[in-house]
Amino acid sequence: MSNINQKVAIVTGSSRGIGAAVARRLAEEGFAVVVNYAGSTAAAQEVVQQITQNGGKALAVQGDVSNPDAVRALFDTTENTFGGVDVLVNNAGIMVTTPLSETDDAAFDQQIAINLKGSFNTMREAAKRLRNGGRIINFSSSVVGMLQPTYGVYAATKAGVEALTSILAKELRGRNITVNAVAPGPTATDLFFNGKPQEVIDRLSKMAPLERLGQPEDIAAVVAFLTQEDGSWINGQVLRANGGII
């Protein structure tokens, strides 16, 4: 399956939502794509099928990013199948919204494990194994700037990701690898809609000056830009893709 001239991208948490849109877009851009997922096998296989039916190359690989061994296995499988890794997109994440005083230890630990430690695990592996000239694209969130009540722990994990992004960009000096983060605002995904009353959805839809929710394809376009030559001078930055909400 390997093609020595084809670049290879790993997209974590890409069985649905923004991750799936990123996987499809990078396949359109010519990447062989590894669709990583934690538990949604059928959804991940559907994304792979969509890509292959359009003439692209893709492979679904199960792996919990919070587990360092699973992350190493993810990179091993990618290298064994496609010959190497050029791009890592750290999309996997969860969001639990509760006031700090009502946040239990399990919700705190789970968000830290997946959002922060998971991103660390994959960044650490990519720093060792990405081919020169590669790209690491992390996912933050515009809640780091908006700082709304009930988003405390989630925002804290994403603030940590932003710090790691800037520092890793400096640590990879000499290898022509850029490290950036994309910080979406409210985006029309299951993660966003889950548990929100219609009134809240309508209000958030109108908050940005462009007066709509972001679409997964909007975010995928920003990721695609960062993987291309046109985005090669952007490094160590956080791009807020949110329609101007903040």
Side-chain angles (χ1 to χ4, degrees), residues 127-157:
K128 299 172 184 175
R129 298 168 72 162
L130 226 62
R131 290 190 280 222
N132 288 352
R135 304 280 192 267
I136 297 173
I137 300 161
N138 298 318
F139 265 80
S140 179
S141 169
S142 288
V143 301
V144 174
M146 297 171 74
L147 299 173
Q148 307 122 292
T150 74
Y151 287 84
V153 176
Y154 178 75
T157 65

Side-chain angles (χ1 to χ4, degrees), residues 64-67 93-96 98 100 102-119 121 152-154 156-157:
D64 181 348
V65 295
S66 70
N67 181 336
I94 62 167
M95 180 170 60
V96 181
T98 51
L100 255 63
E102 299 171 20
T103 302
D104 60 28
D105 290 348
F108 178 91
D109 291 345
Q110 189 181 27
Q111 289 180 93
I112 292 289
I114 295 173
N115 297 357
L116 184 56
K117 180 63 160 41
S119 294
N121 286 338
V153 176
Y154 178 75
T157 65

Side-chain angles (χ1 to χ4, degrees), residues 67-89:
N67 181 336
D69 291 334
V71 168
R72 281 189 285 271
L74 169 64
F75 275 76
D76 287 343
T77 300
T78 303
E79 289 178 344
N80 291 336
T81 304
F82 294 123
V85 187
D86 300 283
V87 171
L88 166 69
V89 181

Side-chain angles (χ1 to χ4, degrees), residues 15-205:
S15 62
R16 56 168 62 92
I18 291 172
V22 169
R24 288 190 294 263
R25 177 62 187 266
L26 293 186
E28 291 173 9
E29 298 288 339
F31 287 89
V33 179
V34 171
V35 177
N36 162 257
Y37 66 100
S40 305
T41 304
Q45 292 292 355
E46 184 178 348
V47 175
V48 168
Q49 187 176 15
Q50 290 167 347
I51 290 171
T52 55
Q53 284 178 343
N54 287 323
K57 286 185 180 177
L59 175 71
V61 179
Q62 193 275 336
D64 181 348
V65 295
S66 70
N67 181 336
D69 291 334
V71 168
R72 281 189 285 271
L74 169 64
F75 275 76
D76 287 343
T77 300
T78 303
E79 289 178 344
N80 291 336
T81 304
F82 294 123
V85 187
D86 300 283
V87 171
L88 166 69
V89 181
N90 264 321
N91 169 76
I94 62 167
M95 180 170 60
V96 181
T97 54
T98 51
L100 255 63
S101 61
E102 299 171 20
T103 302
D104 60 28
D105 290 348
F108 178 91
D109 291 345
Q110 189 181 27
Q111 289 180 93
I112 292 289
I114 295 173
N115 297 357
L116 184 56
K117 180 63 160 41
S119 294
F120 163 78
N121 286 338
T122 54
M123 276 189 268
R124 178 173 60 183
E125 208 62 28
K128 299 172 184 175
R129 298 168 72 162
L130 226 62
R131 290 190 280 222
N132 288 352
R135 304 280 192 267
I136 297 173
I137 300 161
N138 298 318
F139 265 80
S140 179
S141 169
S142 288
V143 301
V144 174
M146 297 171 74
L147 299 173
Q148 307 122 292
T150 74
Y151 287 84
V153 176
Y154 178 75
T157 65
K158 294 304 188 178
V161 168
E162 291 189 6
L164 291 173
T165 297
S166 298
I167 291 168
L168 184 57
K170 295 171 182 172
E171 291 179 349
L172 293 178
R173 174 186 294 271
R175 291 179 56 193
N176 196 31
I177 294 173
T178 65
V179 188
N180 294 290
V182 177
T187 306
T189 65
D190 290 342
L191 181 71
F192 171 78
F193 290 124
N194 187 33
K196 288 185 176 70
Q198 190 61 43
E199 178 274 325
V200 172
I201 293 169
D202 292 342
R203 177 167 50 82
L204 289 171
S205 299

